[in-house]
Amino acid sequence: MAKVLVLHGPNLNRLGTREPDVYGRITLEELDDRLKRLGREWGLEVTCFQSNVEGELIDRIHAAEDEFDYIILNPGAYTHYSYAIRDAIASVRVPVMEVHLSNVHAREPFRRVSVTAPVCRGQIGGFGILSYEMALYAVQRWVKQSSEPGGEVDAKSH
């Protein structure tokens, strides 16, 4: 069973109450429960972690290399300026999928630039909690493809 680490960055602990017109009304706990349930249905073991602290997210990315097969990451505002998180992603062999609840490209100009996306396998945003579910689905497809004869997938390529 493939192991997936879902990392939520700053302010995502405020889901459900923080700008619900932008981020929705679902709480972080509800989102995590939903991802774990979907993971079980799709043959994935999902572990979730949230922090408002950049260093804690970096430590989790580093530690994931020995424990997880994939990372789904919502870096929050760190997306736009954290070269430290970008470098952490680039330093591990674990494929990372960047997710965003809102469509960052349709918001303020500073949100349109991601310093982390270039070292991620892909980026999904603008679909609310479905962004996370689509990222988890992509992981499930990578796992399935890599188990098929001749179906090796380079999930780290960027």
Side-chain angles (χ1 to χ4, degrees), residues 22-40:
V22 174
Y23 300 108
R25 299 198 183 285
I26 191 170
T27 67
L28 184 62
E29 182 179 353
E30 292 167 332
L31 173 58
D32 287 347
D33 289 344
R34 186 174 182 137
L35 293 172
K36 289 175 185 177
R37 180 182 46 76
L38 271 176
R40 284 190 301 274

Side-chain angles (χ1 to χ4, degrees), residues 23 26 45 53 74 91 93 106 109 124 127 137 149:
Y23 300 108
I26 191 170
E45 182 181 326
V53 179
N74 184 338
S91 78
R93 293 180 308 274
I124 299 173
F127 299 99
Y137 179 75

Side-chain angles (χ1 to χ4, degrees), residues 88-110:
I89 295 166
S91 78
V92 298
R93 293 180 308 274
V94 182
V96 177
M97 176 67 76
E98 181 176 305
V99 298
H100 298 283
L101 294 163
S102 67
N103 180 354
V104 294
H105 302 287
R107 297 185 63 198
E108 303 92 338
F110 77 90

Side-chain angles (χ1 to χ4, degrees), residues 36 57 99 126 140 149 157:
K36 289 175 185 177
L57 295 168
V99 298
Q140 182 261 352
S157 67

Side-chain angles (χ1 to χ4, degrees), residues 4 14 16 27-28 42 44 48 56 59 96 111 121 126 153:
V4 181
R14 304 280 301 148
T27 67
L28 184 62
W42 292 341
L44 305 170
C48 302
E56 289 180 3
D59 288 343
V96 177
R111 294 188 196 274
R121 175 66 174 102
V153 175

Side-chain angles (χ1 to χ4, degrees), residues 61 84-94 96 119-120 156 158:
I61 292 167
I85 289 176
R86 180 243 175 259
D87 290 348
I89 295 166
S91 78
V92 298
R93 293 180 308 274
V94 182
V96 177
V119 292
C120 290
K156 181 61 177 175
H158 34 82

